[in-house]
Amino acid sequence: MSLYAGFDCSTQSLSVIVIDVTRRTIVFQDSLSFEHPFVSSADTGVVHASPRMWASAMDEMLSRLAANIDRSSLEAISGAAQQHGSVYCGPGPEDLTRETSPIWMDSSTGRECAEIEQALGGPQAVAQLTGSRACPRFSGPQIRKFCREEPDAYARTERIHLVSSFLASLLIGGHAPIDHADGSGMSLMNIRTGEWAPAALEATAPGLHAKLPSLVPSASLIGTLSRARQRTFGLPAAQIAAWSGDNPSSMVGTGLIREGQLAVSLGTSDTIFGPMRVPAVSGDGTGHVFGSPLGEFMGITVFRNGSLARERVRDAFGLGWGEVEDALSRTPAGNNGAMMLPWFEPEITPGVTAASPVRLGLEGAAPARHIRALIEGQMMAMKRHSAWMRVAPVSILATGGASANRSILQVMAEVFGVPVEVVDNTGSAALGAALRAWQAHRRLPWPEVIGSFTAAVSGSRIVPVAENVRTYRALQNRYTALEAGALGG
Ligand code: XUL
């Protein structure tokens, strides 16, 4: 028996999955929710969380894991964590110089983003260098703000970690490196070389290079479980593989390893992501190129008006999900020209700062046509704003709550012109971490690693109807013009 463990320290909870690669099964999984996951201030946009909370949750989970598996068979451990959060340490990873960490939900660094972009020649220059423009949730701007507001504590800081490398550090009992995938969410790494970008470091904070861990490929073994934690938990000297971000890890845990495979997560917000061989950069700054745990790149674009907008339109007409299905099956692809830009809340992609939904040709229209206009609008936005990845889609794996709705997936399949299948991605970041630990330890080919553990829900495949694919292709320009007009106005 050979066991591999994967952690996921997400915003709300910490989970673990242990796989037995000999029998190709999950032998243990568990999760604990944080009582107070973060503290936020609506006025300032500051959102911080406690590194000690993450650390003690990981230790609690190590003890549960130790009580439930054949410990001597544990070969390697890896993990995933919420991306972008920064942790400030002294000489050792347990010596914090700042009690709390700004996390990805923190939007208080607008000033720092603007300063960094200006110093580096504008948003496009930052995107070309690092894979994304300087975003408020990214770590570099967080570090700049800390240095400005608390210069003494910044000076005392010897290492700045991401959530992922902080937890990996605790496991090895010394400062761990940052992997290329999570490192690309900092506005500090050269996306092409995988090294710190000197100009970006300089634009961020003085003396930063000496405070950053080294960068390593995600598939690196970075040490063994520390003696102290071996003793405390009765665990063996398991290998520790580099930790990564939750999105990159989830890509592996969902089984996406080839360019052209895309995942669409239909959740509170909608997300489209997938592997990329070449780091093309998003022209309007809404998409991000991250490093990939597979060693190349991944693209990701986030839409804020996902389920939020679907519920809004559904509730406006007092419908249930069954009636939404029905509405989509009773209306034709293309909706006889009616369209909607569902910006019920400020939108991330494209950047829209105030709620401002747009309806075209829907005056006096039946609820069913509103529903279709919404879903088609969401899918056409996704198609348009993932084109920057320059990836020709071959298939889509759909996840998240709304993926239970087959008519929505039919529209998705036809707008993109490819088959759609559903995957259950509960725990995909933790599973991805366990798979990455196995791959790093045994240096196996990726298809073998994902083959036995990830699969689409059987019978979920939806095939596009060719005539509808042609209808949407013809409509895409019209959609683009509507969006451009709305943004211009
Ligand atoms: C990605 C992002 C979030 C966090 C959530 O850029 O900010 O998805 O990783 O955990």
PDB file of all heavy atoms in Angstrom, residues 282-319:
ATOM      1  N   SER A 282      -4.011  38.420 -21.344  1.00  0.00           N
ATOM      2  CA  SER A 282      -5.324  39.004 -21.583  1.00  0.00           C
ATOM      3  C   SER A 282      -5.200  40.491 -21.930  1.00  0.00           C
ATOM      4  O   SER A 282      -4.641  41.260 -21.146  1.00  0.00           O
ATOM      5  CB  SER A 282      -6.145  38.789 -20.306  1.00  0.00           C
ATOM      6  OG  SER A 282      -7.121  39.753 -20.146  1.00  0.00           O
ATOM      7  N   GLY A 283      -5.733  40.867 -23.104  1.00  0.00           N
ATOM      8  CA  GLY A 283      -5.582  42.242 -23.590  1.00  0.00           C
ATOM      9  C   GLY A 283      -6.253  43.265 -22.684  1.00  0.00           C
ATOM     10  O   GLY A 283      -5.708  44.339 -22.431  1.00  0.00           O
ATOM     11  N   ASP A 284      -7.450  42.946 -22.178  1.00  0.00           N
ATOM     12  CA  ASP A 284      -8.153  43.944 -21.367  1.00  0.00           C
ATOM     13  C   ASP A 284      -7.842  43.789 -19.873  1.00  0.00           C
ATOM     14  O   ASP A 284      -8.431  44.467 -19.031  1.00  0.00           O
ATOM     15  CB  ASP A 284      -9.667  43.865 -21.617  1.00  0.00           C
ATOM     16  CG  ASP A 284     -10.257  42.536 -21.183  1.00  0.00           C
ATOM     17  OD1 ASP A 284      -9.515  41.695 -20.638  1.00  0.00           O
ATOM     18  OD2 ASP A 284     -11.469  42.326 -21.380  1.00  0.00           O
ATOM     19  N   GLY A 285      -6.933  42.899 -19.547  1.00  0.00           N
ATOM     20  CA  GLY A 285      -6.490  42.780 -18.156  1.00  0.00           C
ATOM     21  C   GLY A 285      -7.440  42.011 -17.261  1.00  0.00           C
ATOM     22  O   GLY A 285      -7.223  41.942 -16.056  1.00  0.00           O
ATOM     23  N   THR A 286      -8.490  41.387 -17.818  1.00  0.00           N
ATOM     24  CA  THR A 286      -9.434  40.684 -16.940  1.00  0.00           C
ATOM     25  C   THR A 286      -9.021  39.232 -16.680  1.00  0.00           C
ATOM     26  O   THR A 286      -9.402  38.665 -15.667  1.00  0.00           O
ATOM     27  CB  THR A 286     -10.855  40.699 -17.534  1.00  0.00           C
ATOM     28  OG1 THR A 286     -10.782  40.235 -18.870  1.00  0.00           O
ATOM     29  CG2 THR A 286     -11.448  42.086 -17.493  1.00  0.00           C
ATOM     30  N   GLY A 287      -8.265  38.640 -17.600  1.00  0.00           N
ATOM     31  CA  GLY A 287      -7.862  37.240 -17.400  1.00  0.00           C
ATOM     32  C   GLY A 287      -6.489  37.164 -16.742  1.00  0.00           C
ATOM     33  O   GLY A 287      -5.733  38.131 -16.746  1.00  0.00           O
ATOM     34  N   HIS A 288      -6.204  36.004 -16.162  1.00  0.00           N
ATOM     35  CA  HIS A 288      -4.899  35.809 -15.520  1.00  0.00           C
ATOM     36  C   HIS A 288      -4.212  34.593 -16.109  1.00  0.00           C
ATOM     37  O   HIS A 288      -4.846  33.561 -16.298  1.00  0.00           O
ATOM     38  CB  HIS A 288      -5.051  35.538 -14.031  1.00  0.00           C
ATOM     39  CG  HIS A 288      -5.888  36.549 -13.329  1.00  0.00           C
ATOM     40  ND1 HIS A 288      -5.508  37.865 -13.212  1.00  0.00           N
ATOM     41  CD2 HIS A 288      -7.093  36.450 -12.737  1.00  0.00           C
ATOM     42  CE1 HIS A 288      -6.443  38.528 -12.563  1.00  0.00           C
ATOM     43  NE2 HIS A 288      -7.427  37.693 -12.268  1.00  0.00           N
ATOM     44  N   VAL A 289      -2.900  34.723 -16.343  1.00  0.00           N
ATOM     45  CA  VAL A 289      -2.091  33.538 -16.641  1.00  0.00           C
ATOM     46  C   VAL A 289      -1.372  33.181 -15.356  1.00  0.00           C
ATOM     47  O   VAL A 289      -0.692  34.017 -14.775  1.00  0.00           O
ATOM     48  CB  VAL A 289      -0.984  33.830 -17.684  1.00  0.00           C
ATOM     49  CG1 VAL A 289      -0.350  32.515 -18.123  1.00  0.00           C
ATOM     50  CG2 VAL A 289      -1.501  34.605 -18.853  1.00  0.00           C
ATOM     51  N   PHE A 290      -1.560  31.957 -14.918  1.00  0.00           N
ATOM     52  CA  PHE A 290      -0.808  31.451 -13.771  1.00  0.00           C
ATOM     53  C   PHE A 290       0.127  30.370 -14.286  1.00  0.00           C
ATOM     54  O   PHE A 290      -0.099  29.808 -15.364  1.00  0.00           O
ATOM     55  CB  PHE A 290      -1.741  30.811 -12.726  1.00  0.00           C
ATOM     56  CG  PHE A 290      -2.649  31.788 -11.988  1.00  0.00           C
ATOM     57  CD1 PHE A 290      -3.853  31.338 -11.452  1.00  0.00           C
ATOM     58  CD2 PHE A 290      -2.293  33.116 -11.812  1.00  0.00           C
ATOM     59  CE1 PHE A 290      -4.693  32.203 -10.758  1.00  0.00           C
ATOM     60  CE2 PHE A 290      -3.128  33.997 -11.113  1.00  0.00           C
ATOM     61  CZ  PHE A 290      -4.328  33.535 -10.588  1.00  0.00           C
ATOM     62  N   GLY A 291       1.170  30.047 -13.500  1.00  0.00           N
ATOM     63  CA  GLY A 291       1.913  28.844 -13.797  1.00  0.00           C
ATOM     64  C   GLY A 291       0.975  27.668 -13.568  1.00  0.00           C
ATOM     65  O   GLY A 291      -0.058  27.801 -12.919  1.00  0.00           O
ATOM     66  N   SER A 292       1.343  26.519 -14.134  1.00  0.00           N
ATOM     67  CA  SER A 292       0.485  25.346 -13.950  1.00  0.00           C
ATOM     68  C   SER A 292       1.268  24.270 -13.208  1.00  0.00           C
ATOM     69  O   SER A 292       2.476  24.131 -13.402  1.00  0.00           O
ATOM     70  CB  SER A 292       0.058  24.820 -15.321  1.00  0.00           C
ATOM     71  OG  SER A 292      -0.174  23.440 -15.250  1.00  0.00           O
ATOM     72  N   PRO A 293       0.592  23.491 -12.381  1.00  0.00           N
ATOM     73  CA  PRO A 293       1.280  22.396 -11.705  1.00  0.00           C
ATOM     74  C   PRO A 293       1.855  21.389 -12.701  1.00  0.00           C
ATOM     75  O   PRO A 293       2.717  20.593 -12.367  1.00  0.00           O
ATOM     76  CB  PRO A 293       0.196  21.718 -10.869  1.00  0.00           C
ATOM     77  CG  PRO A 293      -0.939  22.663 -10.839  1.00  0.00           C
ATOM     78  CD  PRO A 293      -0.821  23.574 -12.024  1.00  0.00           C
ATOM     79  N   LEU A 294       1.361  21.436 -13.959  1.00  0.00           N
ATOM     80  CA  LEU A 294       1.861  20.503 -14.966  1.00  0.00           C
ATOM     81  C   LEU A 294       3.172  21.012 -15.558  1.00  0.00           C
ATOM     82  O   LEU A 294       3.779  20.361 -16.383  1.00  0.00           O
ATOM     83  CB  LEU A 294       0.841  20.350 -16.096  1.00  0.00           C
ATOM     84  CG  LEU A 294      -0.588  20.085 -15.646  1.00  0.00           C
ATOM     85  CD1 LEU A 294      -1.552  20.245 -16.808  1.00  0.00           C
ATOM     86  CD2 LEU A 294      -0.695  18.697 -15.050  1.00  0.00           C
ATOM     87  N   GLY A 295       3.585  22.214 -15.166  1.00  0.00           N
ATOM     88  CA  GLY A 295       4.856  22.738 -15.631  1.00  0.00           C
ATOM     89  C   GLY A 295       4.703  23.785 -16.716  1.00  0.00           C
ATOM     90  O   GLY A 295       5.663  24.451 -17.066  1.00  0.00           O
ATOM     91  N   GLU A 296       3.513  23.943 -17.288  1.00  0.00           N
ATOM     92  CA  GLU A 296       3.341  24.970 -18.302  1.00  0.00           C
ATOM     93  C   GLU A 296       2.540  26.127 -17.694  1.00  0.00           C
ATOM     94  O   GLU A 296       2.949  26.719 -16.708  1.00  0.00           O
ATOM     95  CB  GLU A 296       2.679  24.365 -19.539  1.00  0.00           C
ATOM     96  CG  GLU A 296       3.591  23.317 -20.180  1.00  0.00           C
ATOM     97  CD  GLU A 296       2.941  22.581 -21.328  1.00  0.00           C
ATOM     98  OE1 GLU A 296       1.706  22.422 -21.331  1.00  0.00           O
ATOM     99  OE2 GLU A 296       3.679  22.159 -22.235  1.00  0.00           O
ATOM    100  N   PHE A 297       1.375  26.432 -18.289  1.00  0.00           N
ATOM    101  CA  PHE A 297       0.608  27.584 -17.814  1.00  0.00           C
ATOM    102  C   PHE A 297      -0.862  27.220 -17.688  1.00  0.00           C
ATOM    103  O   PHE A 297      -1.307  26.200 -18.201  1.00  0.00           O
ATOM    104  CB  PHE A 297       0.774  28.757 -18.803  1.00  0.00           C
ATOM    105  CG  PHE A 297       2.210  29.125 -19.013  1.00  0.00           C
ATOM    106  CD1 PHE A 297       2.938  28.589 -20.065  1.00  0.00           C
ATOM    107  CD2 PHE A 297       2.859  29.960 -18.115  1.00  0.00           C
ATOM    108  CE1 PHE A 297       4.278  28.891 -20.230  1.00  0.00           C
ATOM    109  CE2 PHE A 297       4.197  30.273 -18.270  1.00  0.00           C
ATOM    110  CZ  PHE A 297       4.909  29.735 -19.328  1.00  0.00           C
ATOM    111  N   MET A 298      -1.607  28.075 -17.013  1.00  0.00           N
ATOM    112  CA  MET A 298      -3.056  27.938 -17.005  1.00  0.00           C
ATOM    113  C   MET A 298      -3.652  29.335 -17.095  1.00  0.00           C
ATOM    114  O   MET A 298      -3.070  30.313 -16.621  1.00  0.00           O
ATOM    115  CB  MET A 298      -3.565  27.209 -15.765  1.00  0.00           C
ATOM    116  CG  MET A 298      -3.366  27.941 -14.462  1.00  0.00           C
ATOM    117  SD  MET A 298      -4.072  27.041 -13.042  1.00  0.00           S
ATOM    118  CE  MET A 298      -5.833  27.360 -13.237  1.00  0.00           C
ATOM    119  N   GLY A 299      -4.808  29.414 -17.743  1.00  0.00           N
ATOM    120  CA  GLY A 299      -5.509  30.688 -17.827  1.00  0.00           C
ATOM    121  C   GLY A 299      -6.771  30.601 -16.992  1.00  0.00           C
ATOM    122  O   GLY A 299      -7.379  29.523 -16.865  1.00  0.00           O
ATOM    123  N   ILE A 300      -7.162  31.730 -16.422  1.00  0.00           N
ATOM    124  CA  ILE A 300      -8.383  31.743 -15.611  1.00  0.00           C
ATOM    125  C   ILE A 300      -9.054  33.110 -15.729  1.00  0.00           C
ATOM    126  O   ILE A 300      -8.381  34.136 -15.707  1.00  0.00           O
ATOM    127  CB  ILE A 300      -8.075  31.358 -14.133  1.00  0.00           C
ATOM    128  CG1 ILE A 300      -9.328  31.461 -13.244  1.00  0.00           C
ATOM    129  CG2 ILE A 300      -6.973  32.187 -13.536  1.00  0.00           C
ATOM    130  CD1 ILE A 300      -9.149  30.779 -11.883  1.00  0.00           C
ATOM    131  N   THR A 301     -10.362  33.093 -15.918  1.00  0.00           N
ATOM    132  CA  THR A 301     -11.142  34.331 -15.975  1.00  0.00           C
ATOM    133  C   THR A 301     -12.358  34.174 -15.069  1.00  0.00           C
ATOM    134  O   THR A 301     -13.007  33.130 -15.076  1.00  0.00           O
ATOM    135  CB  THR A 301     -11.605  34.624 -17.422  1.00  0.00           C
ATOM    136  OG1 THR A 301     -10.457  34.625 -18.277  1.00  0.00           O
ATOM    137  CG2 THR A 301     -12.281  35.984 -17.527  1.00  0.00           C
ATOM    138  N   VAL A 302     -12.622  35.208 -14.296  1.00  0.00           N
ATOM    139  CA  VAL A 302     -13.683  35.141 -13.288  1.00  0.00           C
ATOM    140  C   VAL A 302     -14.798  36.134 -13.625  1.00  0.00           C
ATOM    141  O   VAL A 302     -14.525  37.298 -13.946  1.00  0.00           O
ATOM    142  CB  VAL A 302     -13.100  35.478 -11.891  1.00  0.00           C
ATOM    143  CG1 VAL A 302     -14.188  35.453 -10.818  1.00  0.00           C
ATOM    144  CG2 VAL A 302     -11.983  34.524 -11.532  1.00  0.00           C
ATOM    145  N   PHE A 303     -16.031  35.670 -13.571  1.00  0.00           N
ATOM    146  CA  PHE A 303     -17.208  36.522 -13.815  1.00  0.00           C
ATOM    147  C   PHE A 303     -17.996  36.613 -12.519  1.00  0.00           C
ATOM    148  O   PHE A 303     -18.361  35.586 -11.940  1.00  0.00           O
ATOM    149  CB  PHE A 303     -18.096  35.904 -14.906  1.00  0.00           C
ATOM    150  CG  PHE A 303     -17.372  35.725 -16.216  1.00  0.00           C
ATOM    151  CD1 PHE A 303     -16.558  34.623 -16.421  1.00  0.00           C
ATOM    152  CD2 PHE A 303     -17.475  36.668 -17.219  1.00  0.00           C
ATOM    153  CE1 PHE A 303     -15.859  34.461 -17.607  1.00  0.00           C
ATOM    154  CE2 PHE A 303     -16.780  36.523 -18.412  1.00  0.00           C
ATOM    155  CZ  PHE A 303     -15.975  35.415 -18.603  1.00  0.00           C
ATOM    156  N   ARG A 304     -18.263  37.828 -12.081  1.00  0.00           N
ATOM    157  CA  ARG A 304     -18.927  37.958 -10.776  1.00  0.00           C
ATOM    158  C   ARG A 304     -20.405  37.601 -10.860  1.00  0.00           C
ATOM    159  O   ARG A 304     -20.968  37.023  -9.940  1.00  0.00           O
ATOM    160  CB  ARG A 304     -18.743  39.403 -10.307  1.00  0.00           C
ATOM    161  CG  ARG A 304     -19.442  39.686  -9.026  1.00  0.00           C
ATOM    162  CD  ARG A 304     -18.637  40.576  -8.113  1.00  0.00           C
ATOM    163  NE  ARG A 304     -19.364  40.783  -6.882  1.00  0.00           N
ATOM    164  CZ  ARG A 304     -19.619  41.962  -6.374  1.00  0.00           C
ATOM    165  NH1 ARG A 304     -19.183  43.055  -6.967  1.00  0.00           N
ATOM    166  NH2 ARG A 304     -20.294  42.070  -5.259  1.00  0.00           N
ATOM    167  N   ASN A 305     -21.076  37.972 -11.985  1.00  0.00           N
ATOM    168  CA  ASN A 305     -22.525  37.753 -12.096  1.00  0.00           C
ATOM    169  C   ASN A 305     -22.839  36.349 -12.606  1.00  0.00           C
ATOM    170  O   ASN A 305     -23.246  36.150 -13.747  1.00  0.00           O
ATOM    171  CB  ASN A 305     -23.142  38.804 -13.021  1.00  0.00           C
ATOM    172  CG  ASN A 305     -23.254  40.153 -12.327  1.00  0.00           C
ATOM    173  OD1 ASN A 305     -24.158  40.380 -11.526  1.00  0.00           O
ATOM    174  ND2 ASN A 305     -22.313  41.046 -12.598  1.00  0.00           N
ATOM    175  N   GLY A 306     -22.587  35.356 -11.738  1.00  0.00           N
ATOM    176  CA  GLY A 306     -22.871  33.967 -12.070  1.00  0.00           C
ATOM    177  C   GLY A 306     -24.235  33.571 -11.535  1.00  0.00           C
ATOM    178  O   GLY A 306     -25.275  34.053 -11.989  1.00  0.00           O
ATOM    179  N   SER A 307     -24.239  32.723 -10.515  1.00  0.00           N
ATOM    180  CA  SER A 307     -25.520  32.282  -9.922  1.00  0.00           C
ATOM    181  C   SER A 307     -26.318  33.456  -9.391  1.00  0.00           C
ATOM    182  O   SER A 307     -27.550  33.458  -9.398  1.00  0.00           O
ATOM    183  CB  SER A 307     -25.272  31.311  -8.771  1.00  0.00           C
ATOM    184  OG  SER A 307     -24.823  30.098  -9.286  1.00  0.00           O
ATOM    185  N   LEU A 308     -25.566  34.436  -8.946  1.00  0.00           N
ATOM    186  CA  LEU A 308     -26.150  35.688  -8.490  1.00  0.00           C
ATOM    187  C   LEU A 308     -27.168  36.217  -9.519  1.00  0.00           C
ATOM    188  O   LEU A 308     -28.319  36.518  -9.192  1.00  0.00           O
ATOM    189  CB  LEU A 308     -24.977  36.651  -8.428  1.00  0.00           C
ATOM    190  CG  LEU A 308     -24.989  37.839  -7.556  1.00  0.00           C
ATOM    191  CD1 LEU A 308     -24.478  37.408  -6.187  1.00  0.00           C
ATOM    192  CD2 LEU A 308     -24.005  38.862  -8.134  1.00  0.00           C
ATOM    193  N   ALA A 309     -26.741  36.285 -10.760  1.00  0.00           N
ATOM    194  CA  ALA A 309     -27.600  36.810 -11.827  1.00  0.00           C
ATOM    195  C   ALA A 309     -28.683  35.800 -12.188  1.00  0.00           C
ATOM    196  O   ALA A 309     -29.838  36.163 -12.434  1.00  0.00           O
ATOM    197  CB  ALA A 309     -26.758  37.138 -13.056  1.00  0.00           C
ATOM    198  N   ARG A 310     -28.329  34.501 -12.193  1.00  0.00           N
ATOM    199  CA  ARG A 310     -29.332  33.486 -12.539  1.00  0.00           C
ATOM    200  C   ARG A 310     -30.476  33.508 -11.527  1.00  0.00           C
ATOM    201  O   ARG A 310     -31.645  33.428 -11.884  1.00  0.00           O
ATOM    202  CB  ARG A 310     -28.674  32.092 -12.617  1.00  0.00           C
ATOM    203  CG  ARG A 310     -27.778  31.920 -13.837  1.00  0.00           C
ATOM    204  CD  ARG A 310     -27.208  30.516 -13.963  1.00  0.00           C
ATOM    205  NE  ARG A 310     -26.118  30.225 -13.044  1.00  0.00           N
ATOM    206  CZ  ARG A 310     -24.833  30.521 -13.241  1.00  0.00           C
ATOM    207  NH1 ARG A 310     -24.470  31.121 -14.358  1.00  0.00           N
ATOM    208  NH2 ARG A 310     -23.918  30.215 -12.359  1.00  0.00           N
ATOM    209  N   GLU A 311     -30.119  33.647 -10.255  1.00  0.00           N
ATOM    210  CA  GLU A 311     -31.165  33.691  -9.230  1.00  0.00           C
ATOM    211  C   GLU A 311     -31.983  34.970  -9.338  1.00  0.00           C
ATOM    212  O   GLU A 311     -33.196  34.971  -9.147  1.00  0.00           O
ATOM    213  CB  GLU A 311     -30.547  33.552  -7.842  1.00  0.00           C
ATOM    214  CG  GLU A 311     -30.274  32.093  -7.513  1.00  0.00           C
ATOM    215  CD  GLU A 311     -29.198  31.905  -6.463  1.00  0.00           C
ATOM    216  OE1 GLU A 311     -28.999  32.807  -5.626  1.00  0.00           O
ATOM    217  OE2 GLU A 311     -28.548  30.838  -6.497  1.00  0.00           O
ATOM    218  N   ARG A 312     -31.320  36.047  -9.666  1.00  0.00           N
ATOM    219  CA  ARG A 312     -31.987  37.334  -9.786  1.00  0.00           C
ATOM    220  C   ARG A 312     -33.096  37.277 -10.842  1.00  0.00           C
ATOM    221  O   ARG A 312     -34.232  37.664 -10.595  1.00  0.00           O
ATOM    222  CB  ARG A 312     -30.917  38.358 -10.178  1.00  0.00           C
ATOM    223  CG  ARG A 312     -31.365  39.747 -10.179  1.00  0.00           C
ATOM    224  CD  ARG A 312     -31.381  40.293  -8.743  1.00  0.00           C
ATOM    225  NE  ARG A 312     -31.356  41.737  -8.842  1.00  0.00           N
ATOM    226  CZ  ARG A 312     -30.347  42.484  -8.475  1.00  0.00           C
ATOM    227  NH1 ARG A 312     -29.289  41.948  -7.921  1.00  0.00           N
ATOM    228  NH2 ARG A 312     -30.404  43.782  -8.634  1.00  0.00           N
ATOM    229  N   VAL A 313     -32.778  36.766 -12.023  1.00  0.00           N
ATOM    230  CA  VAL A 313     -33.759  36.731 -13.118  1.00  0.00           C
ATOM    231  C   VAL A 313     -34.849  35.694 -12.813  1.00  0.00           C
ATOM    232  O   VAL A 313     -36.039  35.945 -12.988  1.00  0.00           O
ATOM    233  CB  VAL A 313     -33.059  36.419 -14.463  1.00  0.00           C
ATOM    234  CG1 VAL A 313     -34.070  36.247 -15.581  1.00  0.00           C
ATOM    235  CG2 VAL A 313     -32.079  37.532 -14.802  1.00  0.00           C
ATOM    236  N   ARG A 314     -34.426  34.551 -12.307  1.00  0.00           N
ATOM    237  CA  ARG A 314     -35.395  33.501 -11.954  1.00  0.00           C
ATOM    238  C   ARG A 314     -36.391  34.034 -10.925  1.00  0.00           C
ATOM    239  O   ARG A 314     -37.611  33.898 -11.069  1.00  0.00           O
ATOM    240  CB  ARG A 314     -34.610  32.303 -11.383  1.00  0.00           C
ATOM    241  CG  ARG A 314     -35.404  31.057 -11.156  1.00  0.00           C
ATOM    242  CD  ARG A 314     -34.704  30.154 -10.179  1.00  0.00           C
ATOM    243  NE  ARG A 314     -34.581  30.822  -8.876  1.00  0.00           N
ATOM    244  CZ  ARG A 314     -34.086  30.248  -7.790  1.00  0.00           C
ATOM    245  NH1 ARG A 314     -33.664  29.017  -7.831  1.00  0.00           N
ATOM    246  NH2 ARG A 314     -34.027  30.902  -6.657  1.00  0.00           N
ATOM    247  N   ASP A 315     -35.880  34.686  -9.884  1.00  0.00           N
ATOM    248  CA  ASP A 315     -36.749  35.181  -8.814  1.00  0.00           C
ATOM    249  C   ASP A 315     -37.648  36.321  -9.297  1.00  0.00           C
ATOM    250  O   ASP A 315     -38.774  36.471  -8.830  1.00  0.00           O
ATOM    251  CB  ASP A 315     -35.930  35.652  -7.608  1.00  0.00           C
ATOM    252  CG  ASP A 315     -35.194  34.489  -6.952  1.00  0.00           C
ATOM    253  OD1 ASP A 315     -35.518  33.327  -7.290  1.00  0.00           O
ATOM    254  OD2 ASP A 315     -34.294  34.732  -6.127  1.00  0.00           O
ATOM    255  N   ALA A 316     -37.125  37.131 -10.240  1.00  0.00           N
ATOM    256  CA  ALA A 316     -37.927  38.255 -10.744  1.00  0.00           C
ATOM    257  C   ALA A 316     -39.233  37.744 -11.358  1.00  0.00           C
ATOM    258  O   ALA A 316     -40.254  38.428 -11.350  1.00  0.00           O
ATOM    259  CB  ALA A 316     -37.136  39.036 -11.784  1.00  0.00           C
ATOM    260  N   PHE A 317     -39.202  36.508 -11.897  1.00  0.00           N
ATOM    261  CA  PHE A 317     -40.409  35.943 -12.504  1.00  0.00           C
ATOM    262  C   PHE A 317     -41.025  34.851 -11.629  1.00  0.00           C
ATOM    263  O   PHE A 317     -41.928  34.139 -12.067  1.00  0.00           O
ATOM    264  CB  PHE A 317     -40.091  35.385 -13.899  1.00  0.00           C
ATOM    265  CG  PHE A 317     -39.633  36.455 -14.858  1.00  0.00           C
ATOM    266  CD1 PHE A 317     -38.317  36.506 -15.283  1.00  0.00           C
ATOM    267  CD2 PHE A 317     -40.513  37.431 -15.311  1.00  0.00           C
ATOM    268  CE1 PHE A 317     -37.890  37.508 -16.147  1.00  0.00           C
ATOM    269  CE2 PHE A 317     -40.092  38.433 -16.178  1.00  0.00           C
ATOM    270  CZ  PHE A 317     -38.776  38.472 -16.596  1.00  0.00           C
ATOM    271  N   GLY A 318     -40.505  34.701 -10.421  1.00  0.00           N
ATOM    272  CA  GLY A 318     -41.044  33.707  -9.488  1.00  0.00           C
ATOM    273  C   GLY A 318     -40.961  32.284 -10.023  1.00  0.00           C
ATOM    274  O   GLY A 318     -41.873  31.480  -9.832  1.00  0.00           O
ATOM    275  N   LEU A 319     -39.848  31.942 -10.694  1.00  0.00           N
ATOM    276  CA  LEU A 319     -39.735  30.596 -11.279  1.00  0.00           C
ATOM    277  C   LEU A 319     -38.864  29.678 -10.419  1.00  0.00           C
ATOM    278  O   LEU A 319     -38.033  30.149  -9.640  1.00  0.00           O
ATOM    279  CB  LEU A 319     -39.095  30.693 -12.676  1.00  0.00           C
ATOM    280  CG  LEU A 319     -39.754  31.643 -13.679  1.00  0.00           C
ATOM    281  CD1 LEU A 319     -38.953  31.680 -14.972  1.00  0.00           C
ATOM    282  CD2 LEU A 319     -41.193  31.202 -13.960  1.00  0.00           C
TER     283      LEU A 319
END
